[in-house]
Amino acid sequence: MQHRSDVEAADALRQAYQQIRSEIGKVIIGQDEVVKFVLVSIFSNGHCLLVGVPGLAKTLLVQTIAQVLDLDFKRIQFTPDLMPSDIIGSEILGEDRNFKFIPGPVFSNIILADEINRTPPKTQAALLEAMQEKAVTAAGITHKLAKPFFVLATQNPIEQEGTYPLPEAQLDRFMFSVALNYPTFQEELQVVKNTTSTIQTDVNKILNASQIIYFQQLVRNIPVTDHVMEYAVKLVSKTRPNGEFASPQINRLLSWGAGPRASQFLILGAKCHAVINGKYSPDIEDVQAIAKPILSHRIVRSYHAEAEGLSAADIIEQLF
């Protein structure tokens, strides 16, 4: 049984989440699922990849979240000529003839890595190393990054010319890969009304950096029953072709399955999902609710699945 203070803290996180949602809703119309997954990944201390065509307010979403959470925000536009030092910073020779480190934009709480697939692997790797280590190394000296540290990367799925798709091993660093869809007719009407007039929308700050770090720790402390833990690990194991839990159908549809990091993120994400929905411990429904954006970028479809027009989401649905 949790301590009374843990229960109160869980309630406080749920209330804060609802307030954050309503503040973001003043600016961002629709995209409820996307907002939910971005917030779950922040509270789970993970990173998020958004895949969607331009003009779906990805930058505005991240700016708004940074405002509501009272965090520093930097946007890095990834281009083919971007160098690792443009992200992490570089050493310069000062007036006193000594080298000093000038931090790059990665030294911020929230980083929007815009069109991460537009830059060569060397530069992608610099950001991905920072995501993993929460630190950067320049001239042999390690510099710690700010806490909390959250990367939201965007990828444009249509213009593939001149792009460098993230390899599977690097995609694995992202807790979620979330697909953004076009707004509904009513949502788009509302967006156009809001953005073509002089109305200014102000959002209130709901949390700050130290409160977010506190809630991230709280999420890790949420207890999980053995059967939910086993369900999550088994779900991931089912994606591995020719593994002990893989069905003949999966052996045919997938050529590669998810690794252990997927199991870790399923449990962390399920804990956070449970808390924001008023529960003090996750159940199987919480694991299922976040499974698609956690597993979809970690499985590789076979040519059978591609020939049959089955998406990663369709295949994950079969696992349930």
Side-chain angles (χ1 to χ4, degrees), residues 252-253 255 300-311 315:
R252 198 174 69 83
L253 296 177
S255 50
V300 180
R301 293 173 300 154
S302 68
Y303 65 90
H304 292 295
E306 289 184 18
E308 290 168 32
L310 288 173
S311 69
I315 297 168

Side-chain angles (χ1 to χ4, degrees), residues 156-170:
N156 176 353
I158 45 178
E159 295 172 59
Q160 291 307 341
E161 205 157 305
T163 61
Y164 306 84
L166 285 170
E168 268 70 27
Q170 298 195 340

Side-chain angles (χ1 to χ4, degrees), residues 47-243:
H47 305 284
C48 197
L49 181 68
L50 294 183
V51 182
V53 296
L56 294 182
K58 297 187 283 281
T59 308
L60 183 62
L61 168 66
V62 187
Q63 276 176 327
T64 308
I65 288 173
Q67 271 180 302
V68 174
L69 299 179
D70 197 15
L71 296 173
D72 288 335
F73 163 69
K74 293 266 178 18
R75 178 174 179 270
I76 306 171
Q77 181 62 52
F78 280 72
T79 55
D81 59 351
L82 196 74
M83 300 295 288
S85 58
D86 296 330
I87 296 174
I88 63 176
S90 54
E91 295 258 308
I92 65 160
L93 192 59
E95 288 171 4
D96 57 358
R97 316 301 293 161
N98 286 322
F99 281 99
K100 62 175 181 176
F101 178 68
I102 303 295
V106 78
F107 287 85
S108 195
N109 297 121
I110 294 188
I111 308 293
L112 174 60
D114 222 352
E115 296 198 286
I116 193 171
N117 54 336
R118 288 243 165 268
T119 206
K122 189 176 180 180
T123 308
Q124 289 175 352
L127 177 70
L128 290 152
E129 183 191 359
M131 286 164 53
Q132 185 65 20
E133 309 300 332
K134 307 278 169 86
V136 301
T137 305
I141 297 169
T142 301
H143 304 269
K144 288 263 180 242
L145 296 175
K147 283 184 178 180
F149 176 67
F150 174 66
V151 173
L152 204 129
T154 70
Q155 215 169 297
N156 176 353
I158 45 178
E159 295 172 59
Q160 291 307 341
E161 205 157 305
T163 61
Y164 306 84
L166 285 170
E168 268 70 27
Q170 298 195 340
L171 279 174
D172 196 40
R173 308 269 171 96
F174 289 96
M175 179 173 185
F176 289 121
S177 174
V178 184
L180 272 93
N181 299 313
Y182 289 112
T184 63
F185 176 76
Q186 287 301 331
E187 285 169 354
E188 193 162 344
L189 204 57
Q190 191 63 49
V191 167
V192 175
K193 274 182 190 170
N194 290 5
T195 54
T196 55
S197 66
T198 54
I199 298 166
Q200 284 287 317
T201 310
D202 292 320
V203 293
N204 299 311
K205 295 182 185 344
I206 303 296
L207 294 177
N208 59 33
S210 59
Q211 289 170 307
I212 293 163
I213 293 165
Y214 170 75
F215 284 137
Q216 287 176 338
Q217 199 53 49
L218 171 79
V219 167
R220 292 193 87 89
N221 285 338
I222 299 290
V224 182
T225 59
D226 285 350
H227 84 279
V228 172
M229 192 86 75
E230 283 164 16
Y231 177 82
V233 175
K234 199 176 220 178
L235 189 64
V236 173
S237 300
K238 282 182 186 175
T239 67
R240 297 170 189 159
N242 306 314

Side-chain angles (χ1 to χ4, degrees), residues 26-39:
K26 291 179 185 176
V27 180
I28 303 293
I29 310 299
Q31 305 290 14
D32 289 342
E33 283 279 275
V34 178
V35 173
K36 177 178 86 174
F37 290 130
V38 170
L39 291 174

